[in-house]
Amino acid sequence: MIRIGLISDTHGYLDPSVAEHFRDCDEIWHAGDIGDVAVIEALEKIKPVVAVFGNIDDLVMRARFPEDVRLAREGVTLWMTHIGGRPPRFNPRVSKVLKENQPDVFICGHSHILRVAKEKTFNVLCVNPGAAGNHGFHTMRTILRMEIQDGRIHKMEAIELGKRGQ
């Protein structure tokens, strides 16, 4: 079993409570729009980090992190990118990848909207942790935690960090 902390759209801000929420995780995954290397450095003090760059990330972040990450954990294949769209309206690049090399779980950020939904066309679980930072239109800052074991996602939890700007 592996425990994952999932975060996105920090835009340079990391809520101090994230350390406590991700303390028991084995890895932290950041789905882009990191905003500042200090966010990654703080997350790396908690647990190992897997990340993709987002559209607001600078050349330093783009050199350090890829646009896409494909992972396999505990019998589950996962694909993470920043801009994906939402089921069933994926952007064309994402639709193409889902058709050609379908994962069990598709993770993205960008929309600032927390969403976990099974997509029927590609039969993939789509996960967006929402936005954890203070920049954007979202009202509530959110993250997710989940466990992966025996080829399945277990105990997925949405965590509210508080209202944006607080």
Side-chain angles (χ1 to χ4, degrees), residues 8-11 13 15 111-113 130-142 159-166:
S8 186
D9 295 279
T10 47
H11 290 261
Y13 172 76
D15 188 295
S111 72
H112 291 221
I113 299 169
N134 280 323
H135 178 77
F137 66 89
H138 59 285
T139 304
M140 184 62 65
R141 294 176 295 110
T142 58
I159 300 163
E160 293 183 343
L161 301 173
K163 292 192 177 193
R164 181 173 46 89
Q166 292 182 343

Side-chain angles (χ1 to χ4, degrees), residues 101-122:
N101 194 359
Q102 178 182 333
D104 299 312
V105 179
F106 171 63
I107 300 166
C108 66
H110 187 64
S111 72
H112 291 221
I113 299 169
L114 173 69
R115 177 175 282 125
V116 177
K118 187 74 169 187
E119 198 281 327
K120 295 177 182 149
T121 303
F122 299 106

Side-chain angles (χ1 to χ4, degrees), residues 88-109:
R89 295 182 194 96
F90 297 108
N91 74 38
R93 185 181 82 86
V94 168
S95 290
K96 182 178 181 198
V97 172
L98 290 175
K99 285 177 189 171
E100 294 173 356
N101 194 359
Q102 178 182 333
D104 299 312
V105 179
F106 171 63
I107 300 166
C108 66

Side-chain angles (χ1 to χ4, degrees), residues 1-5 24-27 29 72-76 145-157:
M1 180 199 39
I2 187 168
R3 291 181 189 96
I4 304 299
D24 293 330
C25 292
D26 298 298
E27 295 178 348
W29 298 350
R73 299 289 191 270
E74 300 288 327
V76 175
R145 278 189 307 220
M146 63 182 169
E147 294 179 1
I148 306 173
Q149 183 177 18
D150 299 326
R152 297 187 53 176
I153 303 292
H154 300 274
K155 298 182 182 177
M156 187 171 291
E157 303 172 84

